[in-house]
Amino acid sequence: MTKSVRLHRPAPLPAPLIATVAVAATALALGGCALLMRHPVGNPDVPQPRGAVDLARYLGRWYEIARYEQVFERGCDHVTADYTLGTDGRIGIVNGCIEANGRASQARGRAYVVDGSGGAKLKVSFFGPFYVADYWILDHDDAAGWSVVGDPSGRYLWLLSRRAVLTPEEAKALAGRAAALGYDISMLRWTRQD
């Protein structure tokens, strides 16, 4: 005589738990991909920002002159960053570029100022409510219209200007500002803006 075995189906998981697990799995997958594709460290000892930033003057359009190449910006030229102040006090971000295939691309995000940073440190999000990216305005000159932006990991670096195209001397001087902060400027990828 054979013994029959009765299988019991487990109770279904509650929908909120399924959603939480899905979000966590997605975040881990994206985080894992980001770890595998990160730029090497170009500055092992990132300094604190050189001074306070008047965000009212910092808002507006910036042109990317050079950067450490990242997977989310790979092959992009004609890169711009537009910053606006929202009614809630958060900063709206629109990053635009022309991809290698000629297609225009945009990424929209938001940022808030880190308390006690004098406006020089922001937390940025391009993925909903998760403000995980650091944006440090390490050095800038409002009058000359340039900015050196990085993060504490030393893997990210952007050289920005209010003008789309700099003279070779101006570009060299801007890269020199980054070098003075400890960045390996041989790792820069220069952005076409013409």
Side-chain angles (χ1 to χ4, degrees):
M1 176 176 228
T2 51
K3 193 175 188 180
S4 69
V5 176
R6 188 166 182 193
L7 297 175
H8 294 280
R9 201 177 278 178
L13 294 173
L17 180 58
I18 292 172
T20 301
V21 170
V23 167
T26 302
L28 286 172
L30 289 174
C33 290
L35 287 174
L36 293 174
M37 298 183 281
R38 289 191 304 180
H39 187 277
V41 172
N43 186 349
D45 190 23
V46 177
Q48 291 295 310
R50 289 206 170 178
V53 175
D54 180 352
L55 287 175
R57 294 185 72 183
Y58 197 81
L59 298 175
R61 172 157 285 190
W62 289 90
Y63 296 90
E64 181 185 273
I65 303 304
R67 67 174 180 266
Y68 280 177
E69 185 83 333
Q70 303 295 335
V71 68
F72 55 83
E73 226 181 339
R74 191 168 313 278
C76 278
D77 281 304
H78 307 282
V79 179
T80 57
D82 292 292
Y83 303 106
T84 57
L85 186 61
T87 56
D88 62 355
R90 302 274 166 135
I91 297 166
I93 305 165
V94 179
N95 290 337
C97 84
I98 303 298
E99 296 176 355
N101 61 12
R103 188 176 59 201
S105 175
Q106 274 192 349
R108 294 181 178 275
R110 292 169 50 85
Y112 68 86
V113 176
V114 174
D115 289 338
S117 71
K121 294 180 182 180
L122 306 176
K123 281 288 192 181
V124 179
S125 172
F126 286 95
F127 304 105
F130 307 107
Y131 289 82
V132 296
D134 290 296
Y135 181 101
W136 287 13
I137 304 167
L138 295 165
D139 197 4
H140 71 289
D141 186 326
D142 290 329
W146 58 263
S147 182
V148 177
V149 176
D151 83 317
S153 77
R155 295 178 187 277
Y156 297 89
L157 178 65
W158 292 273
L159 306 183
L160 307 176
S161 173
R162 291 293 191 181
R163 291 183 292 124
V165 179
L166 301 181
T167 67
E169 295 78 20
E170 291 169 327
K172 183 178 178 182
L174 183 53
R177 300 301 298 201
L181 295 169
Y183 284 90
D184 180 350
I185 59 172
S186 72
M187 297 167 68
L188 284 171
R189 190 259 198 210
W190 294 89
T191 308
R192 278 188 50 231
Q193 290 287 4
D194 54 356

